[in-house]
Amino acid sequence: STAKLLGTCKVRRDAMGGQRGAGHALQAQSRQVKRREARRLGLGATSAKLTNMAGLATFAGFVDELGLGRDLAHIANRLKDGPRVVYPMAGQLRLLIDAQAVGATRVFDIEALSADPLFVLLNGGYIPSIDTVYRDLARFDVDALRALDALMFTHGVTGHALESHREVHLDIDSTVEVVYGSREGAAVGYNPRAHGRESYHPIVARIAEVDTCVAAILRPGDTTFGADDAPAVKQIVERVKATLTRRQKLFVRIDSAADCAQILAAIAEAGAVYVVKARATDDLVCRVARETITWCTTEWDADGKPVTQVAEVPFTRGSWHAAGIKPRVVAVRTNEDRCGKQLTLWEGEEWAVRMYVTNSDEAPEAVAARYDGRAGIETMIAEWKNQWGIAETPSWHFNANHATLLLKMLAFNLLRRFVRAVAPQVVVWRADWVRRAFLCVAGILARSGRRTSILVMPGTALYAIGGRRE
């Protein structure tokens, strides 16, 4: 779509059907706005047909057209079968995806959603006990998790969003999920904020061009990112690479934890280009600090003084030879204030330096600029934690928590596809604004003849995209 993207800085009211400010008009009339006395407002008769998530029907209809119900049935119905099954597994998973789409990130939130008539209607007219949902999540085995992961990945890369990009960037990172209470597989490990507390340490990955999730691997908290993860990294890269055309180039960006011969070799074998922040080991730091390094200035200030300089560093780690790789080492130094950790090597000077490892043949300054784009995954992880609750662990069972993580990432990818399809102009919006504009909208269920419709207020964003869909 060629629709102009709408940010959330100045057009929130217009995009969501809100009332514009009328300050100038009221000023011309010498009128002053007075707040109504709330004590004079009373509650009238209630209606059992009111819903506060009218857009969920539009979203669910879009998901139905993608065949999600069929795919979930193929994955999970075998985990719970028989003539006495009341709540099939596919239906339970759809219920959780509906809940997560509207912002209910915990299983316990189903207790509140069970009062909404639209949520109840979409899920067959009956909402199970949360104890039933907990038990069903615990039914997941390795095969079901693998199939659910593949489904999540499929909805992260399908569509035409990547076709126009000659270069695709895959960002891989790990994060810490603090665990409160006893959880299977939780352990004490690296935890910068809650020292000594048990946690999980999942690996996640996103496609930068479309901001979708393509990997979510739950791991115990005492697991670090390193050589043992090389097979998993290679599998992620190969899966993404298989979806691209021969003309498209895949770049993999990871922080210094990936400065490991096994991981670098795995990415190269998968046919991708890696841009990795180098570990500041003593031998590398000493080599960068030598006067023999030739620095090339790429930026100057208003007075003509160098601001940014780059250099090729003749450096090779011993482990790289054993792995059969020969990456380049690029250093970039600047005397401007930059965010993040700064490494200062020259006494009396204000240069702060960063080093990168890559198998790209680009200019050094281009390598550094390409890596800077990796910062987007940090923002994405924050959204996944704050708006999708990936740090919440609903069950004692490890597989149940892994399944919940995958379901949340699947719901996230589905919502991204939904927005790209029905309102591409707001594809840059985060989940909370998407929910307010298109899902969590007040409506009334109306029955006419044999058809049920959802009535929403004209002028809203949901109404504009066809919120009256039956």
Side-chain angles (χ1 to χ4, degrees), residues 139-378:
R139 298 175 188 272
F140 270 83
D141 55 20
V142 175
D143 291 338
L145 288 173
R146 188 179 296 112
L148 184 59
D149 174 71
L151 181 62
M152 180 271 295
F153 172 83
T154 298
H155 287 287
V157 296
T158 52
H160 305 288
L162 287 177
E163 291 182 355
S164 61
H165 296 277
R166 296 294 297 271
E167 297 178 347
V168 177
H169 295 82
L170 171 64
D171 298 326
I172 302 176
D173 203 353
S174 61
T175 185
V176 176
E177 297 181 358
V178 180
V179 169
Y180 298 92
S182 178
R183 295 290 187 271
E184 182 183 18
V188 177
Y190 172 75
N191 196 333
R193 295 189 177 182
H195 302 288
R197 186 176 290 279
E198 292 184 342
S199 63
Y200 290 132
H201 198 189
I203 293 176
V204 292
R206 71 142 188 173
I207 298 293
E209 282 66 28
V210 290
D211 265 347
T212 54
C213 180
V214 291
I217 305 172
L218 192 64
R219 305 182 303 165
D222 58 355
T223 306
T224 58
F225 193 85
D228 292 340
D229 297 303
V233 171
K234 184 177 181 180
Q235 182 184 23
I236 296 171
V237 176
E238 287 178 339
R239 285 204 305 184
V240 176
K241 183 73 174 176
T243 65
L244 305 179
T245 65
R246 294 182 178 180
R247 294 182 298 175
Q248 292 177 297
K249 198 171 186 179
L250 179 63
F251 292 84
V252 181
R253 302 181 295 199
I254 318 180
D255 62 16
S256 58
D259 185 1
C260 164
Q262 291 85 345
I263 292 180
L264 298 180
I267 297 174
E269 290 172 4
V273 178
Y274 54 80
V275 181
V276 173
K277 189 175 182 180
R279 290 185 293 113
T281 54
D282 292 341
D283 51 354
L284 176 56
V285 169
C286 291
R287 184 63 61 89
V288 173
R290 287 182 178 179
E291 296 181 359
T292 56
I293 297 294
T294 302
W295 293 93
C296 177
T297 303
T298 58
E299 289 185 55
W300 294 263
D301 62 13
D303 298 324
K305 295 180 179 180
V307 172
T308 303
Q309 295 181 332
V310 298
E312 292 270 0
V313 182
F315 176 80
T316 301
R317 299 192 192 276
S319 59
W320 293 350
H321 286 295
I325 58 175
K326 192 178 180 180
R328 298 166 57 207
V329 178
V330 172
V332 179
R333 66 180 187 179
T334 179
N335 54 23
E336 288 189 329
D337 292 334
R338 297 288 176 92
C339 61
K341 184 178 180 180
Q342 303 295 323
L343 180 63
T344 304
L345 304 180
W346 298 272
E347 186 177 354
E349 300 185 35
E350 297 180 352
W351 292 112
V353 65
R354 294 183 180 181
M355 294 86 70
Y356 306 93
V357 179
T358 182
N359 60 344
S360 168
D361 56 0
E362 295 179 305
E365 59 270 23
V367 172
R370 190 177 297 280
Y371 181 84
D372 288 344
R374 181 196 164 274
I377 195 174
E378 304 291 348

Side-chain angles (χ1 to χ4, degrees), residues 388-450:
W388 293 89
I390 67 169
E392 297 166 359
T393 52
S395 174
W396 177 87
H397 299 278
F398 184 85
N399 284 356
N401 293 328
H402 193 178
T404 303
L405 173 63
L406 291 172
L407 281 172
K408 291 179 178 181
M409 293 297 90
L410 173 58
F412 169 79
N413 286 345
L414 290 170
L415 188 60
R416 294 288 299 170
R417 290 193 66 179
F418 172 72
V419 172
R420 189 173 291 109
V422 303
Q425 70 275 16
V426 301
V427 72
V428 295
W429 287 14
R430 295 304 182 193
D432 54 352
W433 277 101
V434 171
R435 287 165 177 156
R436 292 179 186 182
F438 301 107
L439 297 183
C440 299
V441 180
I444 300 176
L445 273 66
R447 185 75 176 174
S448 176
R450 298 181 179 180

Side-chain angles (χ1 to χ4, degrees), residues 8-9 11-18 51-56 59 100-104 383 386-388 415 418-419 423 426 429-443 456-457 459-465:
T8 54
C9 297
V11 295
R12 293 174 179 170
R13 296 187 184 183
D14 289 345
M16 300 182 67
T51 176
N52 66 349
M53 54 184 73
L56 183 60
F59 171 75
Q100 291 152 5
V102 297
E383 178 180 351
N386 298 329
Q387 300 176 27
W388 293 89
L415 188 60
F418 172 72
V419 172
V426 301
W429 287 14
R430 295 304 182 193
D432 54 352
W433 277 101
V434 171
R435 287 165 177 156
R436 292 179 186 182
F438 301 107
L439 297 183
C440 299
V441 180
V456 297
M457 183 180 296
T460 62
L462 175 61
Y463 184 89
I465 67 171

